[in-house]
Amino acid sequence: MTQTQSAPPPSVAAAPPQGAAGQAPNAQSAGPRGAVAQWFEGTPGRMRAFLILAAAMSVVFGLAAAQGFSQSDGSLERAQANTAQLVRIQAIHTNLVSANADATNAFLVGGLEPPEQRAHFVNSMAAAAGLIADAASAQPADREVLGALNKTLITYEGLIEQARANNRQGLPIGSQYLKDANSVLQDDSLPLVKALVEANEKRVDTEFDGISKGTIWILVGGLLSLVVFVITLRWLARRTHRYLNLPIAAGAALVLLTTVIGGVSLASASGAAKDTRNSEYERTLALSRARIAAYDARSNESLTLIARGSGDAFDKAYNTAAAEVDNQLGKSSGTTDGLQQAWAEYKQVHSKVREADSSGNWDGAVVMAVGGEKAGTNDSAQTFAAFDASSSQQLTASSDAVAGDLTDARDGLPPIGWLGIPIGIVAALLVAWGMSQRLEDYR
């Protein structure tokens, strides 16, 4: 019997695994991370990475440029405002010591003091009060100390009025009231003024130092951006064999131009501010300090005579103040010979006043110190008035020069402060445009 052999069953190939939808997995099934990774794969992906990096650095550069110009412009503005406040505070100081010099000198006359001297005292105190109000409005940080100063001046003026009233009646106690008033001014009022001067000097120095920091912002931002641009252009040239991408090159040129113009402008403004700081600003401080010390010396000259033989302490105070005037005038570059001569003439008359007082001629010393018809043309009042007028004129000129120089420095800044961010955005758009041209080659 013949046995029939059956054919083997056909081989069955293994079926591929199916996903949830019965289809093979694709790139989307890997999730968002896989999609992002695929977006940066290959040459097109690297182009996109360079695009993002260069565009981001362009915007960062715009922010840095805006910050740099804002820093310098703000520092210049604040330096100008704080310098004006410092001059204002020093003017308060000058008016106070000027008024005190009038009060002590007028006390030597006895009875009613000369009307013009009394008017000068009143005007000086009124000017000080007005400047205190202006200073409190200009700088809120000084208001508390200025309020305390105002209270001490009320006490000072009250003691001066009591001294005047007793002096008109020929009562010796009037000199004690005058000394008490001088003590209030020296021990209570002027320390507050000096604290305000120191605080405002620190503010001015801080702002002058801050002007140059704006240059750092724009230079660092510009150099970093240009490095990214150069790397991007070099990579593109090697990959695509097209040696110049005009839009990206234009973006780099825009960043370079802004960096150069901005850096030069900020450096110029910083240099101008530095010159102002080392010249007119220092001259303003020196002249102001010289005038304050001169009025202090004038007060101590009168107090020495009022003490009638027991004024050694006041005479030493005069010598200290006079030495400070010499020191400050020596530091004041550009001071005219006329001012130096006026101060020298006042010191010569003071020496004669002290010589007359020391030799027992107290009345003659008082005549020379007070001035008037009896003194002729060689008296302390006239020579000091000449110094006062000359120093006041030069102080006004130097303080105006500081304000003018800082204003010119601000006006010389280009408008990159508000153009910085738009410039960064334009550079970023140029990068996107240039890179999109190369990406088109891969589609």
Side-chain angles (χ1 to χ4, degrees), residues 141-296:
D142 294 338
R143 286 177 184 172
E144 184 176 352
V145 179
L146 289 167
L149 172 63
N150 215 24
K151 292 178 181 178
T152 66
L153 295 184
I154 294 173
T155 303
Y156 169 77
E157 288 191 89
L159 291 170
I160 288 293
E161 291 307 313
Q162 287 179 306
R164 290 181 64 240
N166 284 280
N167 190 43
R168 284 198 300 270
Q169 299 176 39
L171 300 176
I173 195 174
S175 62
Q176 185 58 49
Y177 279 118
L178 182 65
K179 291 177 182 177
D180 290 343
N182 186 69
S183 295
V184 168
L185 186 70
Q186 297 294 334
D187 300 336
D188 298 336
S189 303
L190 296 187
L192 294 174
V193 177
K194 291 174 182 177
L196 289 169
V197 168
E198 291 177 2
N200 282 280
E201 283 183 354
K202 289 180 180 178
R203 293 189 191 113
V204 173
D205 290 340
T206 298
E207 298 306 334
F208 271 121
D209 293 337
I211 296 171
S212 61
K213 294 180 181 178
T215 310
I216 298 174
W217 277 97
I218 192 168
L219 289 181
V220 171
L223 289 176
L224 290 177
S225 298
L226 288 172
V227 167
V228 172
F229 270 97
V230 169
I231 292 174
T232 301
L233 287 168
R234 183 172 180 272
W235 183 87
L236 273 176
R238 294 178 63 183
R239 283 286 178 173
T240 64
H241 302 291
R242 297 179 181 181
Y243 295 104
L244 184 62
N245 185 297
L246 288 178
I248 298 178
L254 179 61
V255 171
L256 176 62
L257 185 63
T258 304
T259 302
V260 171
I261 294 177
V264 170
S265 299
L266 290 181
S268 176
S270 178
K274 184 178 180 180
D275 292 341
T276 301
R277 181 182 190 178
N278 295 333
S279 57
E280 295 298 340
Y281 173 69
E282 289 296 332
R283 184 165 180 256
T284 298
L285 292 183
L287 285 170
S288 216
R289 291 166 182 164
R291 281 173 55 78
I292 290 168
Y295 274 114
D296 195 23

Side-chain angles (χ1 to χ4, degrees), residues 398-418:
S398 63
S399 60
D400 288 345
V402 172
D405 289 346
L406 293 179
T407 299
D408 291 341
R410 287 189 66 200
D411 292 342
L413 293 176
I416 296 179
W418 56 273

Side-chain angles (χ1 to χ4, degrees), residues 41-187:
E41 284 181 355
T43 299
R46 292 187 181 91
M47 286 183 179
R48 295 186 185 99
F50 275 109
L51 187 158
I52 293 172
L53 178 61
M57 281 305 304
S58 298
V59 175
V60 168
F61 167 73
L63 292 171
Q67 173 61 28
F69 274 81
S70 176
Q71 169 88 31
S72 294
D73 184 69
S75 293
L76 283 167
E77 182 180 13
R78 289 187 295 272
Q80 186 176 356
N82 288 326
T83 299
Q85 178 74 346
L86 178 58
V87 171
R88 204 175 286 120
I89 297 296
Q90 288 178 321
I92 293 172
H93 196 164
T94 304
N95 277 286
L96 293 180
V97 293
S98 171
N100 195 54
D102 287 329
T104 53
N105 188 259
F107 201 84
L108 289 169
V109 178
L112 289 174
E113 64 267 33
E116 65 277 4
Q117 203 163 33
R118 174 61 182 171
H120 194 269
F121 171 86
V122 172
N123 292 337
S124 296
M125 293 302 297
L131 287 167
I132 288 173
D134 293 342
S137 176
Q139 179 53 270
D142 294 338
R143 286 177 184 172
E144 184 176 352
V145 179
L146 289 167
L149 172 63
N150 215 24
K151 292 178 181 178
T152 66
L153 295 184
I154 294 173
T155 303
Y156 169 77
E157 288 191 89
L159 291 170
I160 288 293
E161 291 307 313
Q162 287 179 306
R164 290 181 64 240
N166 284 280
N167 190 43
R168 284 198 300 270
Q169 299 176 39
L171 300 176
I173 195 174
S175 62
Q176 185 58 49
Y177 279 118
L178 182 65
K179 291 177 182 177
D180 290 343
N182 186 69
S183 295
V184 168
L185 186 70
Q186 297 294 334
D187 300 336

